[in-house]
């Protein structure tokens, strides 16, 4: 049996903060919001040399060739989406591509876990993704220390960006170590 192809990719995990509460209050509006976010993400991702490789519920997984494209697209999507607060996790690493184009592997999971820890309206990135970005993008990212991501054994150095220019707050349930 042939081994699945592996490659290096920048992964962005996107989620609509507060989606479950919205879906409970107004299911039709929640579905319309997901459609608007997906349409916007499709356009922005394509402009930054990326693609959507997976969707689930209100979440999206995006693939880019490099960290600068991934962060630039995340910032553009965060700034353009005014209907809802989005949360982003950005990571860079090796992934396995399945026959249908989906990406799997530890580094995809890291992006998803970063997104789960991001405060609404902010982007949380790993140090490896930050280090792979352009100097201009690196300068926008604030160090947040090391955190233990869910279901991961090691601590991950993280950096955050609030595209609105406000101070980035740590997620309430995340222990941030100095």
């Amino acid at each position: 049996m042939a081994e699945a192809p592996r490659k290096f990719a920048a992964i962005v995990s996107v989620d609509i903060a507060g989606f479950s509460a919205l879906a409970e209050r107004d299911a039709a509006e929640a579905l319309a919001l997901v459609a608007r976010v997906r349409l916007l993400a499709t356009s922005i991702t394509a402009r930054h040399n990326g693609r959507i490789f997976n969707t689930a519920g209100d979440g999206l997984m995006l693939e880019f060739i490099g960290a600068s494209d991934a962060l630039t697209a995340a910032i553009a999507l965060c700034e353009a989406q005014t209907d809802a607060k989005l949360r982003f996790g950005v990571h860079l690493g090796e992934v396995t591509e399945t026959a249908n184009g989906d990406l799997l592997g530890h580094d995809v999971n890291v992006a998803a876990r970063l997104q789960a820890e991001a405060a609404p309206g902010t982007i949380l990135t790993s140090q490896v993704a930050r280090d792979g970005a352009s100097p201009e993008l690196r300068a926008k990212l604030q160090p947040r220390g090391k955190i233990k991501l869910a279901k991961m054994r090691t601590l991950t150095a993280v950096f955050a960006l609030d595209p609105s220019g406000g101070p980035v707050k740590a997620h309430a349930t995340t222990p941030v170590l100095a």
Side-chain angles (χ1 to χ4, degrees):
M1 184 166 164
E3 202 172 302
R6 296 184 61 74
K7 64 182 180 177
F8 203 67
I11 305 299
V12 177
S13 178
V14 185
D15 170 75
I16 300 172
F19 178 79
S20 295
L22 174 61
E24 188 174 28
R25 280 191 320 274
D26 188 343
E29 177 54 29
L31 292 173
L33 178 59
V34 168
R36 289 191 301 273
V37 168
R38 286 184 181 173
L39 184 63
L40 187 59
T42 299
S43 172
I44 289 172
T45 300
R47 281 198 312 266
H48 295 285
N49 306 309
R51 71 179 181 104
I52 297 173
F53 70 85
N54 195 313
T55 63
D58 64 312
L60 300 166
M61 297 297 284
L62 317 174
E63 174 194 12
F64 298 88
I65 294 170
S68 290
D69 284 337
L71 282 166
T72 302
I75 292 167
L77 184 53
C78 194
E79 290 174 343
Q81 181 51 50
T82 58
D83 293 354
K85 290 284 187 180
L86 302 178
R87 301 182 305 167
F88 297 84
V90 182
H91 186 61
L92 189 65
E94 193 173 51
V95 298
T96 300
E97 187 166 2
T98 65
N100 70 357
D102 197 4
L103 300 179
L104 303 173
H106 173 73
D107 291 309
V108 174
N109 293 339
V110 170
R113 300 300 192 286
L114 286 167
Q115 170 265 301
E117 294 296 334
T122 65
I123 300 164
L124 199 60
T125 182
S126 64
Q127 182 164 356
V128 70
R130 178 212 173 264
D131 292 349
S134 69
E136 298 81 24
L137 289 169
R138 282 196 307 267
K140 294 180 181 184
L141 297 165
Q142 300 173 16
R144 301 303 305 154
K146 291 186 175 186
I147 63 172
K148 185 174 184 316
L149 298 174
K151 301 179 184 178
M152 304 272 170
R153 289 185 299 217
T154 61
L155 295 176
T156 302
V158 296
F159 295 79
L161 178 122
D162 181 346
S164 73
V168 179
K169 296 178 183 141
H171 191 278
T173 63
T174 303
V176 177
L177 305 174

